[in-house]
Amino acid sequence: MRHWAGALLIAAPALCAVPGYGQSHPAGTFRFSPEAGRGLLALWQESLAAKEERVACLASTIRNDTVFVNRIVALKPESADSMGISATASVEQCGPPAWSGTVHTHIALYSDSLPSTHFSAQDRTAMRLWYDRWHTDGVFCLIYSSRDAHCEADGVVGGMRSQPRVVNE
């Protein structure tokens, strides 16, 4: 099993680092099932091979202050922007009740040796589009190495603030 580091959004803009898989932090933690870990690694490897970012739907459950990521399913990189991700497609395909949010890769180097380890302004826009579409808190991760991720979940401490509801437009 790969170990994935993450961060948990507890109240904007404060972020708490959560070091490594299975470790807890007073504000919360992210844990990844073996299946989800294998999916994240495959997504990262595919992204590197293609030299394009990739995105996947993310399924999770939340208990108390812990997000349990159960599985991910990669989306085909069609109708994508220059980075290989279509926000519209991921918002529509990664909604409740089957999905809790999305995960995507950052592969373009931000520093001499590492891609950006935080969500970009475009990522934040996609996250907001997801919330606007589904009217519920979401779980979002970005992968920036073969074993590291940055994750955020709205309303996690004490549980979700709202239950998902399907909005037909």
Side-chain angles (χ1 to χ4, degrees):
M1 175 61 182
R2 295 281 182 205
H3 295 278
W4 294 86
L8 173 64
L9 181 66
I10 56 171
L15 291 179
C16 297
V18 180
Y21 171 81
Q23 295 181 2
S24 63
H25 186 279
T29 192
F30 280 82
R31 295 187 183 208
F32 296 85
S33 71
E35 177 186 349
R38 287 187 298 272
L40 292 171
L41 182 58
L43 190 70
W44 175 255
Q45 290 171 337
E46 179 185 328
S47 184
L48 283 180
K51 296 181 174 54
E52 294 178 342
E53 292 188 359
R54 292 292 188 252
V55 68
C57 296
L58 176 148
S60 67
T61 57
I62 298 174
R63 289 191 302 269
N64 299 319
D65 63 351
T66 302
V67 178
F68 297 92
V69 178
N70 307 316
R71 65 189 172 98
I72 68 159
V73 171
L75 298 178
K76 292 181 182 177
E78 51 194 43
S79 303
D81 64 17
S82 62
M83 296 306 285
I85 297 172
S86 170
T88 304
S90 67
V91 166
E92 288 302 316
Q93 294 178 44
C94 299
W99 304 107
S100 309
T102 62
V103 57
H104 72 277
T105 60
H106 274 189
I107 60 166
L109 294 182
Y110 180 73
S111 67
D112 288 339
S113 62
L114 196 63
S116 176
T117 60
H118 297 289
F119 292 108
S120 68
Q122 294 87 349
D123 296 337
R124 297 268 176 218
T125 299
M127 292 159 72
R128 182 62 198 194
L129 289 171
W130 194 93
Y131 179 84
D132 289 346
R133 171 65 174 99
W134 299 109
H135 303 283
T136 188
D137 298 320
V139 176
F140 304 95
C141 293
L142 70 87
I143 306 167
Y144 58 90
S145 83
S146 64
R147 56 171 264 117
D148 297 300
H150 173 91
C151 297
E152 296 180 8
D154 295 324
V156 169
V157 177
M160 297 291 271
R161 288 190 301 247
S162 58
Q163 294 299 314
R165 62 185 174 112
V166 176
V167 178
N168 296 318
E169 296 178 8

